[in-house]
Amino acid sequence: MFVGRQKQLAALAAALERTPGAVLVVGEAGIGKSALVREFTRGVDALVAEGGADPGTALQTAAAHGVQAGVHGVQAGVHGVQGGVPYAVFVPVLRRLVREYGAGLVPGGGRKGLARLLPELGELEEHPELGRARLFEEVLLLVERAAERRPVVLVLEDLHWADQASRDLLVFLLRNLTRPGVLVIATSREPLRLPMAEVLKVPPLGRDEVARMLGGSEGEQADIDRIVARSEGNPLFVEALADAGTATTPASLREVLLAGAERLGRASLDVLRIAAVSSSVSPSYGGSRTPHEVLRAVAGLDDLVLDEALRPVVRARLLLVDGDGYVFRHTLIRDAVYDDLLPGERIRLHTRCAEARPELAADHWYAAGDRRRAFEAAWRAGRWERVLELWEQSDSPDDGSDGGMDHAAVLELAAKDALHVGDAERAEELASRALDEVRDPLRAAHLLELRVAIRDLLGEEGLADLREAIRLAPREARLIGALANTLAWNGQDAEARAHAEDALALGDSRSLVTLAALTALEGDLAAASRLHAEARAAAPDDDTVLAAYAGEADVLEAAGEHAKAEAVARRGMAQAKRLGMARSRGAHIAANLAEPLASLGRWKEAREVIDAALALDPPPIHRAWLLMVLGTVAVWEGALEEAADVLDRARPLMRGRSRGYDSCLEPDLLEGRLAVAAGDVERAGRLADHVLSAHDLTLSRRYAWPLLVIAARTGRVRQAPAGMETTGRVQEAYRATFEAECGGSWAAAVAAWRTVGQPYALGQALVRAAEQDPESARELLREAAAIAERLGSAPLRQEVEAAAASGRVRLTAEPGLSARELEVLELVAEGLSNRQIAERLFISARTSGVHVSNIMAKLGVASRVEAAALARRTGLL
């Protein structure tokens, strides 16, 4: 019987009114979290999709090893168990939405992401680097588009037991749900850090609520008092104590939980035990729910006898009816029933459940201790971590091998699974172990390719692996194309072009993107654009289409074609959104859009693009590129604390050289710019020393010249390293700036930046040109001041004012001060009083005061100190 909780029900109702949103319902085991949620969802006009975590995997492992796990011991050990299914919390939820509305709600019918969790959608069309990102995007699309048809309430139970992949997906959803109609309700025994989620604590029941729950009369008040004291207001314990009667007090939690079960008849107790064993395995495939037909098959009873056995169990609310099946009212009850089984009973029931539930056979055979059958069932189900675990526990190296697959093949499949759920470290370990075992050159080449994709996520370039792969399989077009792309990232243009052309001749159309980038570096932007268009037309998959947009925007920006780069990036982002890839490749293109916006001085727009992309929780390398643009904008605006924070967040994401020299030099450039803006010459010098000693700047595509500018400004270099090339207007402008820092002409740098159209860089060059050319200083500084004002750049404004004060240049229009007023202003600036000024100029103190008042009015200042400061800053004095 549900009683009380009106305040909590009202809070849930209010949350549903202001969707999208989330509520985390927190309370101890048995406190009534699930009952509260059921009571709420029973009355809502919405599609309710339920899922949840479960400690069942821990129970299986304990049984397999002959360990009698207690209720609390299971909770403590669940996270360390291998063989669990990633995203277990969400699988029933997604299946419910797909069955209700169909997979057509997402591009490609879910076969590029959702099929990873829902095999019924068909064969997965996957891309190793985008598996996790694409899955997250499709889940978001599915939920939001379902909510367009009818409000959706997602119920996620027992989040404290959730696997990390499920938690990551939940955090992503909470950060990115923007459309109304979606309410996420999660339950947990402990508070969790979930973004945007309201925490709703479920308190114990009061005495009156316990009395109403038990329906006690006045004559039973003493019994109610004892139950209240013993249960401490926990509804689960209230019911269990009431079932046990008041003549005795259970001595332990297990006795409390089993009190109702022990009063059942033999047939009913047998059915309850079957349900406990059936629901002790993975919830991802419906393991937490026991279908009626499974009970019938395992119990071996006809329908009438089974119904009679079930009726007392349901009446005692040990099991609840759930559609055409049954669920335990609380997992603690299920755990207690399971733990109360004798070892022989547990093995027999798991064996019968394995035969009755083929989709969960691997788990049940494993729990029954039959490793061979568990191995065979796991193999059929594609549970490769479980297969690997059982294979390595077996004394026979050929145990269970099937279809010509060997141990190395299982390692490879397990590595792919680990990569798909974002565990790159585990994936690398498994792929490397597989490589150690294979002897066939082609297999080894493909494993090397897989390891390159894995190591890319870990910040490692993979050149050595790709070269070895091609040595082993010299005619594999995909491998040759991958090597060409990596070589291009690392500035090895000639070899990159040769390999890209070879790959294209062998049929790898993706190499057109690499050839387009190399052609742009040679200065032929028109030919590069044609190649990018050809790459999009011939693309074998969506990712290549978007990679071509990203590549074209990138080369246009590098060449100083900021407006064209913006246009291409906007088309690419629109395409990524249509394809459901906004989080993965779309975030990459967002960085390609933010960069030209930043270059053009449209910093507010750049921030909006970056904020929207970061809110999607993109893959690490894409997030890093977005942060780099954000940090640069923050430096130019003068938000130096924000820039420092961005740098700290981005550096760990860009370790290594997985994206070439530019990827590892970009954080150095941001740090150098930050140090210069903060006036920290020592830090800027240390940074320059590091770059010059640790890197070959001739391999950099984008950042060598701007880093050399910082090195020259700190006196670390006076000439560029041999072999430095200059391609495009941006690089030419940076080279002119470097030469000016080394004693050359700042007027040449100003002219170069005018052709590029980057206002911030032009403003900086104007300031330095004014210092070099005093006769033109006033005009140059006034232009720089106007740029600083338009951009809202505090650092540039400070540079302009410092140069004006140093050169005694007046930035503002003449304030109309007379010669006498200018004399008075000079004395005000010296700190003289009106009387002292009068004495110095042989005028009366009253006349002196009138002059000072007129000066302050003409300058628009409120004090003598402000008048003096303004005069110095603007060059009046």
Side-chain angles (χ1 to χ4, degrees), residues 3 6 11 43 171 176 185 214 277 317 329 332 447 467 499 582 605 712 807 816 862:
V3 299
Q6 296 308 306
V171 168
N176 296 292
I185 303 177
L214 299 177
V277 171
R317 298 187 71 249
R329 183 180 39 146
L332 284 176
L447 279 167
R467 290 188 188 281
H499 283 300
E605 292 177 67

Side-chain angles (χ1 to χ4, degrees), residues 547-563:
Y549 276 116
E552 185 173 6
D554 185 61
V555 298
L556 288 169
E557 169 63 15
E561 299 288 345
H562 306 309

Side-chain angles (χ1 to χ4, degrees), residues 75-92:
Q75 179 182 351
V78 67
H79 294 295
V81 177
Q82 289 188 350
V85 179
Y87 308 108
V89 172
F90 280 93
V91 172

Side-chain angles (χ1 to χ4, degrees), residues 113-188:
L114 290 177
R116 191 176 314 285
L117 305 183
L118 305 179
E120 60 266 32
L121 297 183
E123 186 176 350
L124 181 68
E125 300 173 11
E126 61 184 351
H127 188 292
E129 294 185 65
L130 302 178
R132 178 179 167 98
R134 189 59 179 263
L135 170 63
F136 280 27
E137 290 173 0
E138 291 197 358
V139 172
L140 177 63
L141 278 173
L142 177 66
V143 171
E144 289 197 330
R145 291 181 179 177
E148 292 174 358
R149 289 156 174 76
R150 184 185 178 194
V152 172
V153 177
L154 306 183
V155 177
L156 308 175
E157 293 275 16
D158 295 321
L159 214 57
H160 49 277
W161 275 321
D163 59 278
Q164 189 59 50
S166 292
R167 293 193 185 198
D168 291 345
L169 177 53
L170 175 58
V171 168
F172 170 75
L173 285 179
L174 297 185
R175 284 177 175 166
N176 296 292
L177 283 169
T178 58
R179 299 181 183 179
V182 182
L183 175 63
V184 178
I185 303 177
T187 67
S188 174

Side-chain angles (χ1 to χ4, degrees), residues 5-16 18 36 40 200:
R5 313 297 196 203
Q6 296 308 306
K7 180 179 178 181
Q8 288 75 26
L9 288 171
L12 291 172
L16 185 59
R18 57 175 183 268
L36 170 66
F40 170 70
L200 184 62

Side-chain angles (χ1 to χ4, degrees), residues 432-613:
S432 297
R433 288 172 56 192
L435 270 166
D436 291 339
E437 295 185 11
V438 299
R439 296 295 174 265
D440 177 70
L442 185 59
R443 286 186 66 188
H446 287 155
L447 279 167
L448 285 164
E449 181 187 16
L450 172 63
R451 193 166 70 175
V452 168
I454 295 168
R455 288 181 168 176
D456 181 65
L457 298 179
L458 297 172
E460 300 174 22
E461 66 181 11
L463 266 176
D465 277 355
L466 284 170
R467 290 188 188 281
E468 176 62 12
I470 292 172
R471 187 189 69 79
L472 295 171
R475 303 297 292 173
E476 286 288 295
R478 186 174 62 188
L479 294 175
I480 299 171
L483 176 60
N485 185 57
T486 304
L487 288 167
W489 275 107
N490 283 276
Q492 300 178 40
D493 298 352
E495 188 180 359
R497 178 174 285 280
H499 283 300
E501 289 173 349
D502 287 347
L504 184 62
L506 291 170
D508 181 40
S509 58
R510 290 172 295 187
S511 292
L512 285 165
V513 178
T514 304
L515 288 170
L518 293 169
T519 301
L521 287 169
E522 295 166 358
D524 194 343
L525 293 181
S529 291
R530 288 194 298 272
L531 284 169
H532 277 121
E534 187 179 344
R536 287 191 285 270
D541 51 47
D542 295 338
D543 184 64
T544 304
V545 172
L546 298 179
Y549 276 116
E552 185 173 6
D554 185 61
V555 298
L556 288 169
E557 169 63 15
E561 299 288 345
H562 306 309
K564 291 180 180 179
E566 177 193 354
V568 170
R570 290 196 184 280
R571 291 200 301 272
M573 285 189 67
Q575 181 79 336
K577 186 175 182 180
R578 285 194 296 271
L579 294 171
M581 297 177 68
R583 177 175 179 261
S584 52
R585 188 65 74 175
H588 178 184
I589 300 174
N592 295 132
L593 173 58
E595 193 167 11
L597 291 174
S599 296
L600 291 167
R602 292 155 60 185
W603 296 342
K604 181 180 178 182
E605 292 177 67
R607 280 185 173 277
E608 290 171 351
V609 169
I610 293 167
D611 289 346

Side-chain angles (χ1 to χ4, degrees), residues 688 707-718 737-738 741-742:
L707 280 165
L708 283 172
V709 168
I710 294 173
R713 188 162 189 173
T714 57
R716 263 43 182 195
V717 295
R718 302 306 293 173
T737 304
F738 170 76
E741 289 282 7
C742 294

